[in-house]
Amino acid sequence: QVQLVESGGGSVQAGGSLKLSCAVSDDTYKIDCMGWFRQAPGKEREGVASIDRDGFTSYAHSVKGRFTISQDNAKNTLYLQMNSLKPEDTAMYYCAADWGRAGDLCSDGYVSGYFYTGQGTQVTVSS
């Protein structure tokens, strides 16, 4: 059973940075794709970024060039470095993982449909 625990959320002013972490426990060898999605109040889930087991990354257009997804396999941890934050980035951010996917099915557009998700960490950006 894969368990995901996010941390690193908080409140920042526009233009600031935050780094989210996601600790992954158990059965990590099964995972083919990991990523982040977000959900703001009253809005649908939005895939933010993804990374597959080969290290190929994918980003939503809205965050490309500002966010960076990475993973430390030795620490079983997934990261999301968020720079140049904007008020519209305000949302609950969730870590997600899945297996049995490859190629485009790992991409950012599919992250919100991954099988395993964490409890989320809140990111609030003020103007």
Side-chain angles (χ1 to χ4, degrees):
Q1 182 74 12
V2 175
Q3 295 182 345
L4 308 172
V5 179
E6 303 96 336
S7 62
S11 298
V12 296
Q13 290 190 329
S17 298
L18 282 174
K19 186 173 185 178
L20 306 183
S21 299
C22 173
V24 185
S25 64
D26 298 335
D27 296 338
T28 57
Y29 66 95
K30 295 182 179 179
I31 296 172
D32 293 312
C33 311
M34 293 202 68
W36 296 89
F37 67 91
R38 64 189 181 187
Q39 188 166 24
K43 295 188 176 181
E44 294 185 353
R45 291 181 172 185
E46 177 190 17
V48 174
S50 67
I51 185 167
D52 68 15
R53 61 167 55 247
D54 295 323
F56 181 81
T57 58
S58 174
Y59 297 92
H61 180 74
S62 59
V63 307
K64 195 171 293 184
R66 300 188 297 123
F67 291 11
T68 302
I69 189 171
S70 62
Q71 59 188 4
D72 185 331
N73 292 328
K75 296 182 179 179
N76 287 346
T77 303
L78 180 74
Y79 302 101
L80 184 69
Q81 177 67 48
M82 304 185 295
N83 298 327
S84 301
L85 283 161
K86 304 175 181 180
E88 50 264 43
D89 294 319
T90 295
M92 186 72 79
Y93 283 71
Y94 298 87
C95 174
D98 208 345
W99 62 62
R101 293 175 179 263
D104 288 344
L105 293 179
C106 273
S107 68
D108 62 277
Y110 291 91
V111 175
S112 62
Y114 286 6
F115 187 78
Y116 295 103
T117 62
Q119 293 300 307
T121 185
Q122 178 67 38
V123 172
T124 302
V125 184
S126 58
S127 58

